[in-house]
Amino acid sequence: MRLPANWPWTIVLLLVILPWLTLAGLGGFWLWQNQYLIEGFLTLASFYGAATLLNLWLKHRQIEPFQLPAVQADERWSPAAEAIWVELDKLAEELNPADYPLTDSARLLQLAQQVIRRVARHFRPKAGQAELDIPLRNILFISEQVSRDMRQLLDERIPFSHLLTIDEGLKLWKWKQKLERGHFIYRIGRMVFSPATAIPAELSVFFQGKVKQYPKGLLEQWLLRTLVKKIGYYAIALYSGQLAPPKLFESGQPEPAPELKQPLRILVAGQLKAGKSSLINALLGEMRAATHVLPLTDDLTIYKLAQDDSGEVLIFDSPGYGEDSQWFEKEPERALGGFDLVLLVCSATQAGREADALFLTDLRNWFDQRLHRSLPPVLVIVTHIDQLRPLREWQPPYDIQEPQSEKARNIREVVETVADTLHIPAADCIPVSLQTGADYNIDAIWTALAGKWPESKRARYLRCLPEGRGKEKLRMIWAQMVNLIRV
């Protein structure tokens, strides 16, 4: 006897739908017979209505039942390191746990090699086999640190991870897959043999919506992404030179690469007669004599400023530049790359900004060509605002956000023009007056400097890193030779 073409649906109709309809009809008849039909109908309608509204609400609301830690980039990384981190973050987000089972060590090893190779080729684009352009001890160091971090995450986040053996974990994994495959069969059987308990359970799945399904595979996906990002994190730190492997014959936590403890350097630049010397006098409180620090160029004058919370700060007073005279073009390596913060002084009464724009263009181009360094933050100090029209009016303070006078409106217009011309955010353009004995808005400069301090320290860290790394290599060679002589 040949079965009809739609025999699966016939079986479902006979085994599931008809029994359910029969039971529903008998239940409705019992409710009508006991005069509970209206109450039962209202109760069922209310239940379905609430379930429908809850399901709609859940669809428009993203619920995260687990707050799993994410691997973050180092805020001191260079632009080159940040660029490859974005690529690795995208790679981790696109990974499918089914393609890289946590029980398949060979696949995980291939994934780790892929991450290290991508990082290596990013920092060593001209090397034939960039992933091999690194000492063997550094590869071992990456493995050591990733293993330590993953163990710590498992201990803190995964229940019973410190008790389960590998064999027990593999068995639980296999049982999990079998249970997932048999879950649908179980639901069908429950509907056939016990509709009274199956219907409420199915309704529970219905109104819980995606909340019930969200955690499925979340743990496996988190572990895989964390593994990739941890490998990428240490590979970036090593290939960029920002992480020092453990010292000879010692073990312990990873240490940052050696950084020379140099003072933070601030460059004061601007056109002739823009008010650079007056700004330095206002910051220092009084004229200071030049220190015995070796200047970057013969044209720079250096002043020392001691800060209790930030260490020593050096302020470099540069000669004024113009359209035909640019001192920074003589030795751009030192003049543009030797500073951690730039104060660009612009006079509010000077109409020409071409020389200032040229200085900032050269500064940005120099750092764009050196992605292992970080462009220092730039603050524009707009001086001589007391000389704006009306000339005889000078009654500070002035609110340039909501100007109430002609003087305030002119100050705001100048600040906006300078910001637009130099491509600097208006918030980083500070209008000041540096009149002797009647200075104004100097406190705003200190506030802005405090806001730029983290960026300045990052620029100093990347500036000092190569020299510190070179000295660390010499110290390691010396230690190796000493140990060899002892043997």
Side-chain angles (χ1 to χ4, degrees):
M1 182 179 64
R2 295 183 60 184
L3 294 175
N6 58 347
W7 66 269
W9 289 106
T10 303
I11 294 177
V12 172
L13 177 64
L14 294 176
L15 296 181
V16 179
I17 299 179
L18 287 180
W20 188 87
L21 291 177
T22 302
L23 290 175
L26 292 174
F29 176 76
W30 182 86
L31 291 173
W32 173 79
Q33 190 177 27
N34 291 274
Q35 298 181 354
Y36 292 136
L37 184 60
I38 297 177
E39 291 83 349
F41 175 78
L42 292 177
T43 302
L44 188 62
S46 301
F47 181 82
Y48 269 97
T52 303
L53 292 176
L54 181 59
N55 187 47
L56 293 175
W57 177 74
L58 290 174
K59 287 182 178 179
H60 294 85
R61 181 180 177 87
Q62 183 178 3
I63 297 179
E64 298 183 3
F66 301 108
Q67 295 295 330
L68 296 174
V71 183
Q72 303 295 336
D74 191 333
E75 60 182 11
R76 300 179 303 174
W77 276 353
S78 65
E82 291 176 345
I84 187 60
W85 179 257
V86 172
E87 294 183 18
L88 295 181
D89 185 68
K90 183 179 179 181
L91 171 65
E93 294 297 325
E94 295 176 351
L95 286 177
N96 185 1
D99 297 333
Y100 297 94
L102 297 178
T103 55
D104 192 342
S105 58
R107 292 288 293 164
L108 294 180
L109 179 60
Q110 292 177 1
L111 181 61
Q113 292 174 342
Q114 177 184 352
V115 173
I116 295 177
R117 188 181 303 113
R118 183 173 294 193
V119 174
R121 291 178 179 176
H122 179 78
F123 286 101
R124 312 274 200 279
K126 296 182 180 180
Q129 288 182 305
E131 62 273 15
L132 301 181
D133 189 20
I134 187 172
L136 175 60
R137 64 191 302 271
N138 290 6
I139 295 292
L140 299 176
F141 180 59
I142 293 178
S143 304
E144 176 187 353
Q145 300 308 317
V146 172
S147 299
R148 188 205 68 225
D149 290 354
M150 294 301 295
R151 176 183 58 80
Q152 183 177 356
L153 286 173
L154 288 174
D155 288 345
E156 294 176 353
R157 299 289 175 170
I158 309 302
F160 308 109
S161 61
H162 63 296
L163 300 177
L164 291 175
T165 64
I166 297 177
D167 182 62
E168 292 169 342
L170 292 174
K171 290 179 180 178
L172 288 176
W173 193 274
K174 293 178 180 178
W175 274 107
K176 171 182 173 293
Q177 295 175 336
K178 292 180 180 179
L179 290 175
E180 287 179 350
R181 288 195 296 267
H183 183 61
F184 178 75
I185 300 175
Y186 164 74
R187 289 170 57 191
I188 293 296
R190 183 177 59 177
M191 183 68 72
V192 174
F193 296 104
S194 182
T197 58
I199 293 175
E202 293 298 319
L203 290 176
S204 174
V205 175
F206 165 74
F207 70 76
Q208 287 184 19
K210 61 182 179 182
V211 176
K212 198 176 185 70
Q213 299 298 326
Y214 182 80
K216 184 178 180 180
L218 176 65
L219 183 60
E220 298 93 323
Q221 193 174 44
W222 171 72
L223 285 172
L224 188 61
R225 290 176 179 176
T226 302
L227 179 63
V228 170
K229 290 185 178 182
K230 281 292 182 180
I231 295 172
Y233 180 93
Y234 287 111
I236 290 173
L238 277 175
Y239 275 95
S240 64
Q242 291 185 234
L243 192 66
K247 297 179 181 179
L248 291 175
F249 313 114
E250 296 181 4
S251 61
Q253 300 295 325
E255 300 177 355
E259 173 191 358
L260 294 182
K261 299 299 182 181
Q262 293 188 4
L264 191 139
R265 299 180 176 186
I266 299 178
L267 173 66
V268 179
Q271 297 188 49
L272 295 169
K273 299 181 179 181
K276 298 185 299 299
S277 298
S278 298
L279 173 63
I280 293 176
N281 292 340
L283 293 177
L284 298 178
E286 59 182 6
M287 178 62 72
R288 304 289 180 92
T291 65
H292 295 290
V293 181
L294 182 64
L296 294 181
T297 69
D298 296 335
D299 297 326
L300 294 174
T301 304
I302 307 176
Y303 301 92
K304 183 182 296 184
L305 178 65
Q307 291 287 329
D308 295 337
D309 55 343
S310 302
E312 193 176 65
V313 177
L314 299 181
I315 299 179
F316 293 77
D317 184 12
S318 64
Y321 52 74
E323 296 182 4
D324 300 326
S325 175
Q326 292 86 27
W327 64 270
F328 50 87
E329 293 184 347
K330 297 178 182 178
E331 295 182 79
E333 183 75 21
R334 291 182 172 182
L336 299 177
F339 303 101
D340 312 312
L341 189 145
V342 177
L343 296 179
L344 181 58
V345 184
C346 296
S347 174
T349 59
Q350 287 180 334
R353 307 289 176 199
E354 292 80 4
D356 297 322
L358 176 62
F359 169 75
L360 287 180
T361 299
D362 286 359
L363 181 69
R364 290 162 178 157
N365 289 340
W366 192 90
F367 281 93
D368 286 344
Q369 296 171 7
R370 295 162 178 82
L371 294 180
H372 63 283
R373 294 284 304 276
S374 176
L375 176 69
V378 178
L379 289 174
V380 177
I381 312 300
V382 183
T383 59
H384 302 151
I385 61 171
D386 54 295
Q387 299 179 21
L388 295 174
R389 295 180 180 276
L391 297 177
R392 296 184 179 181
E393 177 192 333
W394 182 241
Q395 297 177 348
Y398 292 99
D399 184 4
I400 65 173
Q401 301 300 325
E402 297 181 2
Q404 302 295 326
S405 64
E406 182 180 358
K407 190 84 166 185
R409 286 192 291 270
N410 289 335
I411 294 175
R412 176 173 178 172
E413 182 180 351
V414 169
V415 169
E416 291 177 346
T417 301
V418 171
D420 183 65
T421 303
L422 302 181
H423 304 289
I424 295 289
D428 291 340
C429 298
I430 306 170
V432 299
S433 174
L434 302 174
Q435 295 185 78
T436 304
D439 52 19
Y440 166 66
N441 220 23
I442 304 300
D443 291 342
I445 299 178
W446 287 114
T447 302
L449 286 173
K452 297 296 183 182
W453 229 239
E455 295 181 53
S456 301
K457 289 183 176 180
R458 178 195 182 198
R460 180 184 63 179
Y461 172 77
L462 295 175
R463 174 175 60 84
C464 299
L465 188 63
E467 186 176 353
R469 191 166 61 244
K471 290 191 174 183
E472 177 65 16
K473 290 180 179 179
L474 292 178
R475 284 195 292 267
M476 183 170 290
I477 293 175
W478 174 256
Q480 291 171 341
M481 296 303 297
V482 169
N483 287 318
L484 180 60
I485 293 173
R486 289 175 179 174
V487 174

